[in-house]
């Protein structure tokens, strides 16, 4: 019995030692992965442990454009980075809100005043995304890319018919007839519709003014392209919506030949920073994966992600094709 007790004690001691070393090992792995991640990120942005190396920065504009403080800070970092010799803005987006698109345009124009910049349409540059594209002094698009959709949209549901059917009536007390219009609970009055149309028209005029100024279009040329439709890359060249056809290599060649950027520089992705500059949450997630805790790993990565909100209200400069308009 004494031998069995000693054997049991030895096993417990061994188990405690193994647990201790496992914790130490995971901790060391987390630190190592975090350090590697930090170095990779720092190297991609020309800062950190190694020497600063000349580069072309790639800024990607994708998805719904709604305005982002993280993107604003990213553009400022690119603008202030001495290692960045030129910038490629790679665009594949249907647009977004008018305010978000305006903010992105202003930030990119500020960047273009300090760094040579070219826009590359890798898929779609419609509506608000086209506003981002014209911030550059030269636009290159793929032949089958979709470009344009110059227009402004304000959409809202009219639920009044449905409410009548179910016997629901929404009452309101307003300080003025146009307050909180359109409501969606009552049919839109002619006065409210006219007020909304005036806002849409004013924003539309602002959009067309940007295009006319940046693309050097006459009123006649602008009228052809500003009816809200999209054009292919091939169509967009003679319409002066873009400057040339090709891929990112052709866009970079323009920087080299027309803006004096050195040839064969590495093209490095610049991305918005997460809430923590040190990728700790990703490293912890990897550590959890290695010990078989997949659920915990997913949650840790979610905590470290920086989410961008999408505006639910307001004017939109976005291309939303119906199923019948889909390119097959």
């Amino acid at each position: 019995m004494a031998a069995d007790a000693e054997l049991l004690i030895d096993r417990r001691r061994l188990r405690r030692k193994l647990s201790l070393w496992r914790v130490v090992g995971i901790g060391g792995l987390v630190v190592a992965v975090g350090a590697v991640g930090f170095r990779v990120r720092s190297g991609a942005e020309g800062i950190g442990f190694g020497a600063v190396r000349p580069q072309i920065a790639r800024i990607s504009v994708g998805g719904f454009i709604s305005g982002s403080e993280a993107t604003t800070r990213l553009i400022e970092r690119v603008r202030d980075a001495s290692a960045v010799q030129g910038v490629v803005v790679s665009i594949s987006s249907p647009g977004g809100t008018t305010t978000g698109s305006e903010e992105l345009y202003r930030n990119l124009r500020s960047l273009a005043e300090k760094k040579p910049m070219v826009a590359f349409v890798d898929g779609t540059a419609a509506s608000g995304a086209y506003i981002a594209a014209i911030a550059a002094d030269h636009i290159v698009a793929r032949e089958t890319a979709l470009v344009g959709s110059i227009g402004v949209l304000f959409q809202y549901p009219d639920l009044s018919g449905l409410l009548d059917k179910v016997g629901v009536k929404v009452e309101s007390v307003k300080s003025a007839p146009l307050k909180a219009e359109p409501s969606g609970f009552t049919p839109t009055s002619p006065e409210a519709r006219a007020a909304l149309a005036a806002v849409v028209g004013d924003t539309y005029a602002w959009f067309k003014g940007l295009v006319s100024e940046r693309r050097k279009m006459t009123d006649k040329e602008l009228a052809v392209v500003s009816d809200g439709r999209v054009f292919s890359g091939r169509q967009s060249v003679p319409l002066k919506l873009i400057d040339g056809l090709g891929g990112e290599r052709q866009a970079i060649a323009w920087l080299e030949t027309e803006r004096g950027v050195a040839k064969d520089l590495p093209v490095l992705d610049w991305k918005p920073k997460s809430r923590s500059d040190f990728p700790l949450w990703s490293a912890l997630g990897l550590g959890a994966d290695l010990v078989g805790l997949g659920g915990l790993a997913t949650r840790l990565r979610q905590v470290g992600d920086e989410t961008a909100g999408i505006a639910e209200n307001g004017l939109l400069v976005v291309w939303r094709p119906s199923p019948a308009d889909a390119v097959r």
Side-chain angles (χ1 to χ4, degrees), residues 28-293:
L29 179 62
V30 166
V31 173
V33 171
V36 170
F38 177 75
R39 179 158 189 168
V40 168
R41 173 178 291 183
S42 299
E45 298 185 358
I47 58 176
F49 303 120
V52 175
R53 56 172 175 162
Q55 61 187 264
I56 294 174
R58 180 190 294 117
I59 297 176
S60 297
V61 176
F64 188 90
I65 300 171
S66 60
S68 167
E69 183 62 29
T71 300
T72 298
R73 292 195 299 268
L74 164 67
I75 295 174
E76 290 173 351
R77 296 203 319 271
V78 174
R79 185 189 62 201
D80 297 336
S82 59
V84 174
Q85 306 298 302
V87 180
V88 175
V89 182
S90 180
I91 302 173
S92 186
S93 165
T97 65
T98 53
T99 53
S101 302
E102 179 189 0
E103 177 187 23
L104 180 58
Y105 170 82
R106 301 297 180 196
N107 288 332
L108 289 175
R109 282 304 304 149
S110 175
L111 173 60
E113 290 173 359
K114 191 169 182 180
K115 306 280 187 183
M117 188 172 77
V118 64
F120 165 52
V121 183
D122 195 19
T124 302
S127 294
Y130 185 64
I131 293 175
I134 61 177
D137 295 325
H138 191 80
I139 305 174
V140 175
R142 297 193 186 277
E143 293 187 50
T144 55
L146 297 177
V147 179
S149 187
I150 298 170
V152 181
L153 175 69
F154 190 97
Q155 286 183 323
Y156 56 93
D158 182 359
L159 305 176
S160 57
L162 174 63
L163 295 178
D164 287 341
K165 288 181 179 179
V166 298
V168 176
K169 185 178 180 181
V170 178
E171 298 283 357
S172 62
V173 178
K174 301 192 291 186
S175 59
L178 296 181
K179 179 64 178 177
E181 288 290 342
S183 70
F185 299 127
T186 58
T188 305
S189 67
E191 294 79 12
R193 186 176 296 276
L196 290 173
V199 174
V200 170
D202 182 70
T203 308
Y204 180 42
W206 167 80
F207 191 169
K208 291 194 295 182
L210 281 184
V211 176
S212 176
E213 175 189 353
R214 295 294 302 153
R215 300 303 302 167
K216 303 296 187 293
M217 289 186 183
T218 65
D219 290 343
K220 184 178 180 179
E221 291 170 331
L222 183 62
V224 174
V225 299
S226 59
D227 60 0
R229 57 180 153 159
V230 293
F231 301 89
S232 71
R234 285 159 53 90
Q235 293 174 310
S236 298
V237 175
L239 293 173
K240 298 172 66 173
L241 289 170
I242 65 173
D243 299 292
L245 300 174
E248 187 179 71
R249 181 60 254 173
Q250 283 67 41
I252 294 172
W254 180 85
L255 288 175
E256 295 171 346
T257 58
E258 301 297 327
R259 289 294 184 266
V261 175
K263 292 187 177 181
D264 301 323
L265 290 178
V267 182
L268 304 180
D269 281 307
W270 283 63
K271 299 181 181 298
K273 289 183 177 180
S274 63
R275 288 189 177 93
S276 173
D277 290 344
F278 186 78
L280 175 61
W281 296 109
S282 297
L284 290 174
L286 178 59
D289 270 332
L290 293 175
V291 295
L293 301 176

